[in-house]
Amino acid sequence: MSLPVMESSSAAAAARRVSTGSTSSAADKRAEILRALRADNTTFNPSPYGHGLDSALEVEATASASSLDLSTIVPPAIDRIRRRSELPRVRTPQLGEAIELPVLSPIEERSNAQSSAIASGPSQHTLSKITDVEIAPTPYAASLSYTAETPTVTPAQRAAFRRNARIQFLALCYSFFLEGWNDGSTGPLLPRIERNYQIGFAIVSMLFVTNCVGFLSGAVMNVWLNQKLGMGKVLILGAVIQLIGYAMMAPGGPFWVMCIAFVFAGFGISLQNAQGNGYVGNLKDGARNGFGFLHASYGLGALISPLVATQFSTADHWSYHYLVSTGIAVSNVLLLAFVFRTKNLDEVMTEAGQAVSEPGANENLYGQIMRLREVHYLAMFSLIYVGVEVSIGGWIVTFIEDRRGGSASAGYISSGFFGGLMLGRITLMQLNRKLGERWVIVYYSIVIIILEVTIWVVPSLIENAIAVSVVGLLMGPIYPVLMNQSTGILPKWLLTGCLGYIGGIGQAGSAVLPFITGLISSKFGIASLQPFIVSMMSTMIIIWAIVPKARRIE
């Protein structure tokens, strides 16, 4: 309880009498004031303006009246009223009353030591200077405060990140262009290869088998090579091996040399395919569009390649087509070496303004990837899709020539198919989002089946050519959607390895299914192509139905 206002009380009157010298001794002065206070029934608590009444009156008996400073006892009324408002309005605990205090941790007790003393009420010796005390932050409180410092990116740095990302992406698109060039070359040249080596459907299909060996080898070795060498070196290695394959094909040597060359080409393509898909899959933003444009580059290569290969198919030196492939492969090696050098994925993504953490070199990635049920479903779907895509692009020329009476210019139908493939991957992006990416695969597959049936039963060259182009248009978005959906299903730390495995198995499908098509055609004729495609598309729908919709949490 604070000091009451005493301007009209008897204690105040006694104080005025003391100050005017109405009494003679200090003892008498003290006694008179104490009697007046008792008469007023006033309770004195320690005063915030001095050391208390008793301490103010504890003077020697011989002291003169002038030695008693009444300003320490009775402050001016205005000052007393102001200072009372500054004190905390808390109830003064009575003598013997138990006070329950909250239990604080040692750090909280130390960091709030001074503020707790003020909040709980000033003590007798600190109240006199309460208005002059400045509370400084304690070292404990400072140690508990953390400032989240977000690194700021300047506009110049942001522009550099965008420029680096675009250059990296364009280099990968060029690599995929060469991959599409490779797959689009085989179809128009296949009839000429049969005539040149005087072999049938079953033997010429060995080119697809050896290509499959290369794709599968690359898919298996990609995970280990990526850990040991890093993204940049693996890309360059794949491009060099692909270049070696084309250099072996260009002279048009014995058939077994061509088969070995297809192994080299398949191995190199598989490594580049895995790294490209892994790069786009690790992008924080734009992965969906990135997959669309990346694989549209594949479609562009597959579109242009048949136009060139058709010209060489009627020339004396048909194998010189692979000289053109060799020249493109040389430029691909130089571009990848210039852009990616010997950097790993972490360094490449950092240059693009994004961060990704690759697994350590000692982690057993093979075991983790192979234990994922989802990755095998996606890989099987990829195998069938790519196999169907290459089977149509590769064997449709032979089908048109044998069943519809087409000439050597039927190779342009293959270009129409791959042209539709490229356009579908770019123009149908918005439609895919509106319909839902999981459902567009089902919708497009059903329409493709219907169109393949019309190619099967309608004996019209023009209708077949148009239907093949529309089939390519609808098949185009399926593979990018597959890769984009995979990024939401598979674990992030295994994404590069998983996408490499899926892509490698898919590229193996580009050899397995055309080979099976050749075996069936050698027994039942090329007319069996369309029933085989219809059955494979139906199987794709069934596999897609059992692919999980979201990432499994383990």
Side-chain angles (χ1 to χ4, degrees):
M1 189 168 74
S2 56
L3 182 67
V5 180
M6 303 190 322
E7 287 298 323
S8 61
S9 65
S10 60
R16 283 194 296 273
R17 288 197 300 272
V18 170
S19 62
T20 57
S22 60
T23 55
S24 60
S25 67
D28 293 338
K29 298 169 190 170
R30 179 183 180 188
E32 183 176 350
I33 292 176
L34 288 175
R35 282 196 300 271
L37 288 173
R38 293 190 186 97
D40 286 345
N41 195 22
T42 303
T43 302
F44 254 78
N45 284 332
S47 171
Y49 313 105
H51 300 296
L53 180 61
D54 292 337
S55 62
L57 297 178
E58 285 178 1
V59 296
E60 296 182 0
T62 59
S64 61
S66 61
S67 64
L68 183 61
D69 188 1
L70 291 179
S71 64
T72 61
I73 303 175
V74 185
I78 296 176
D79 186 61
R80 280 185 283 111
I81 294 173
R82 181 182 63 79
R83 290 174 181 262
R84 284 186 62 193
S85 65
E86 295 174 357
L87 293 177
R89 298 178 180 273
V90 296
R91 183 176 63 85
T92 304
Q94 301 299 322
L95 183 63
E97 182 180 354
I99 302 175
E100 183 178 355
L101 298 176
V103 179
L104 300 177
S105 65
I107 294 179
E108 291 174 333
E109 289 179 357
R110 292 175 182 175
S111 62
N112 298 316
Q114 293 182 351
S115 59
S116 298
I118 295 172
S120 60
S123 66
Q124 179 178 352
H125 299 288
T126 59
L127 283 172
S128 61
K129 297 184 180 295
I130 185 67
T131 58
D132 302 327
V133 174
E134 180 179 356
I135 306 298
T138 65
Y140 303 99
S143 65
L144 292 176
S145 63
Y146 299 94
T147 303
E149 297 183 357
T150 304
T152 57
V153 180
T154 64
Q157 290 176 323
R158 190 176 295 108
F161 289 152
R162 286 197 297 266
R163 182 177 63 254
N164 293 336
R166 288 170 183 169
I167 293 173
Q168 293 167 1
F169 183 72
L170 289 176
L172 292 172
C173 286
Y174 190 73
S175 173
F176 271 65
F177 170 85
L178 183 55
E179 180 182 337
W181 176 280
N182 176 85
D183 291 348
S185 299
T186 308
L189 293 176
L190 208 58
R192 178 59 187 272
I193 293 174
E194 292 178 29
R195 293 193 300 268
N196 185 74
Y197 294 104
Q198 297 181 356
I199 53 180
F201 291 149
I203 302 300
V204 78
S205 296
M206 290 301 298
L207 294 176
F208 297 112
V209 173
T210 53
N211 212 15
C212 175
V213 172
F215 287 135
L216 289 177
S217 301
V220 173
M221 292 296 295
N222 170 70
V223 177
W224 181 81
L225 289 173
N226 194 51
Q227 280 187 294
K228 294 297 182 182
L229 303 179
M231 177 182 180
K233 292 181 181 178
V234 173
L235 277 172
I236 297 171
L237 176 63
V240 170
I241 294 176
Q242 185 179 8
L243 170 61
I244 294 173
Y246 292 147
M248 295 174 64
M249 297 177 194
F255 186 72
W256 64 269
V257 175
M258 296 291 291
C259 291
I260 295 176
F262 269 74
V263 173
F264 279 91
F267 186 87
I269 290 173
S270 182
L271 294 183
Q272 296 172 79
N273 182 279
Q275 299 303 315
N277 285 317
Y279 174 89
V280 176
N282 279 293
L283 293 176
K284 293 181 181 178
D285 301 314
R288 179 185 290 109
N289 293 339
F291 278 122
F293 284 104
L294 184 70
H295 294 283
S297 303
Y298 170 92
L300 179 61
L303 166 65
I304 298 176
S305 177
L307 301 177
V308 179
T310 300
Q311 300 299 320
F312 281 98
S313 66
T314 57
D316 294 336
H317 300 285
W318 61 271
S319 62
Y320 284 4
H321 170 78
Y322 292 106
L323 283 177
V324 182
S325 303
T326 302
I328 300 175
V330 170
S331 62
N332 183 47
V333 172
L334 296 176
L335 181 60
L336 293 178
F338 174 75
V339 174
F340 295 99
R341 296 183 178 88
T342 59
K343 303 166 188 173
N344 58 30
L345 182 60
D346 286 342
E347 295 169 336
V348 170
M349 299 301 288
T350 301
E351 285 186 352
Q354 303 190 48
V356 62
S357 178
E358 284 190 304
N362 295 326
E363 297 183 24
N364 182 14
L365 297 187
Y366 285 107
Q368 295 183 54
I369 292 173
M370 291 302 136
R371 284 195 298 269
L372 292 174
R373 182 177 67 253
E374 298 87 341
V375 77
H376 299 295
Y377 293 152
L378 295 167
M380 184 60 63
F381 183 93
S382 175
L383 183 144
I384 296 177
Y385 167 82
V386 178
V388 169
E389 174 187 297
V390 178
S391 295
I392 295 176
W395 286 104
I396 193 64
V397 177
T398 305
F399 176 84
I400 294 296
E401 289 182 356
D402 289 359
R403 304 297 300 179
R404 300 295 180 251
S407 61
S409 60
Y412 296 121
I413 295 178
S414 179
S415 290
F417 171 77
F418 286 112
L421 198 78
M422 179 193 67
L423 291 177
R425 290 174 176 175
I426 297 176
T427 60
L428 297 180
M429 288 182 182
Q430 297 297 329
L431 180 61
N432 298 340
R433 296 193 187 101
K434 291 181 180 179
L435 297 179
E437 287 192 337
R438 284 192 62 88
W439 283 104
V440 295
I441 290 182
V442 178
Y443 299 150
Y444 293 164
S445 299
I446 293 174
V447 177
I448 289 169
I449 291 173
I450 296 173
L451 291 172
E452 286 293 330
V453 171
T454 64
I455 298 172
W456 180 7
V457 299
V458 177
S460 170
L461 177 62
I462 296 177
E463 190 279 338
N464 290 176
I466 295 174
V468 167
S469 298
V470 177
V471 166
L473 181 74
L474 296 178
M475 287 194 70
I478 293 179
Y479 195 78
V481 168
L482 167 69
M483 287 296 176
N484 188 55
Q485 289 289 305
S486 299
T487 62
I489 297 173
L490 302 171
K492 277 291 184 183
W493 65 91
L494 297 174
L495 194 57
T496 301
C498 288
L499 292 182
Y501 176 75
I502 294 171
I505 296 297
Q507 290 300 321
S510 70
V512 172
L513 264 65
F515 172 69
I516 295 175
T517 302
L519 292 180
I520 297 175
S521 299
S522 65
K523 186 175 182 61
F524 301 103
I526 193 62
S528 61
L529 173 65
Q530 305 309 322
F532 180 69
I533 297 299
V534 169
S535 63
M536 289 296 99
M537 293 298 301
S538 303
T539 306
M540 277 175 52
I541 297 176
I542 296 173
I543 295 176
W544 187 246
I546 62 177
V547 171
K549 297 181 180 180
R551 181 179 291 120
R552 181 180 62 183
I553 300 176
E554 295 182 347

